[in-house]
Amino acid sequence: MSEASSEQETLAVPVAELRPSLEAVLMVADQPLDAVTLATAVGHPVEDAVSALQLLAEEYTEQGRGFELRNVAGGWRFYTREDYAHVVEGFVLEGQQARLTQAALETLAVVAYKQPVSRARVSAVRGVNVDGVMRTLLTRGLVEEAGHDGETGATLYRTTGYFLERIGVTSLDELPELAPYLPEMDDLDDELAAAAGLTPSTPETGPEQAQETKA
């Protein structure tokens, strides 16, 4: 990679100390990040970022940290060190037994009765942002991704077989008749469009996009 192209991939941001900056970005990453993405985020040349990542990975191993930095499939990410996997497993399984919060139960109900449904539409029904709650439900294995909306491209979600098992039914047809108390999707589309200052027929911006813009 030429020096010119490397400079183009580096943002004009105030340069902070490289290695702590990389750690800060990696700490919030939910998927592996390639070297160019990381270098751009911290405002340093790619070559320097790669060297720093390699040094960090070596230091974590030498210090016997409970986590490690791996370069897997072209992307860098923090992982639990294998030696401590059983500790994490015990913590996660214990957390699975905890009761769901009221917010999580309400969000789960909306998904159950309106599935497949996007996060934006769930947020619109509940009147609050549900990103954090949806992550909890995904982690618990109660909801899962169910493809994408054909018009907006938004990710859709549905309940899982584990959800049915936990509430003691064999199919969604056995759920109590609560759906009439939730807004119809057509009405919801109109409300979202009106809130965004659009008409429901506007093709460029779907309800999910409008909701995400406000979030």
Side-chain angles (χ1 to χ4, degrees), residues 60-61 63-68 70 79-92:
Y60 296 149
T61 298
Q63 295 169 1
R65 297 292 186 90
F67 60 90
E68 59 186 335
R70 300 183 199 164
Y79 293 87
T80 300
R81 196 171 297 281
E82 186 175 356
D83 294 344
Y84 303 98
H86 65 286
V87 178
V88 176
E89 181 180 4
F91 171 76
V92 171

Side-chain angles (χ1 to χ4, degrees), residues 70-144:
R70 300 183 199 164
N71 182 9
V72 179
W76 293 85
R77 187 180 183 184
F78 286 129
Y79 293 87
T80 300
R81 196 171 297 281
E82 186 175 356
D83 294 344
Y84 303 98
H86 65 286
V87 178
V88 176
E89 181 180 4
F91 171 76
V92 171
L93 291 178
E94 181 180 354
Q96 293 281 1
Q97 306 304 318
R99 291 180 178 274
L100 290 175
T101 64
Q102 184 65 31
L105 288 172
E106 292 175 2
T107 301
L108 184 57
V110 175
V111 175
Y113 285 103
K114 292 298 186 181
Q115 60 185 305
V117 63
S118 68
R119 291 192 189 193
R121 289 185 171 183
V122 176
S123 294
V125 172
R126 293 203 55 232
V128 295
N129 185 290
V130 299
D131 288 355
V133 176
M134 286 294 289
R135 283 194 292 271
T136 297
L137 296 176
L138 285 163
T139 300
R140 295 284 189 94
L142 295 169
V143 302
E144 63 186 0

Side-chain angles (χ1 to χ4, degrees), residues 174-203:
E174 298 178 37
L175 292 176
E177 290 294 331
L178 295 181
Y181 297 99
L182 296 173
E184 292 298 327
M185 283 304 177
D186 290 342
D187 296 336
L188 188 56
D189 289 343
D190 293 344
E191 293 174 10
L192 287 171
L198 304 170
T199 60
S201 59
T202 303

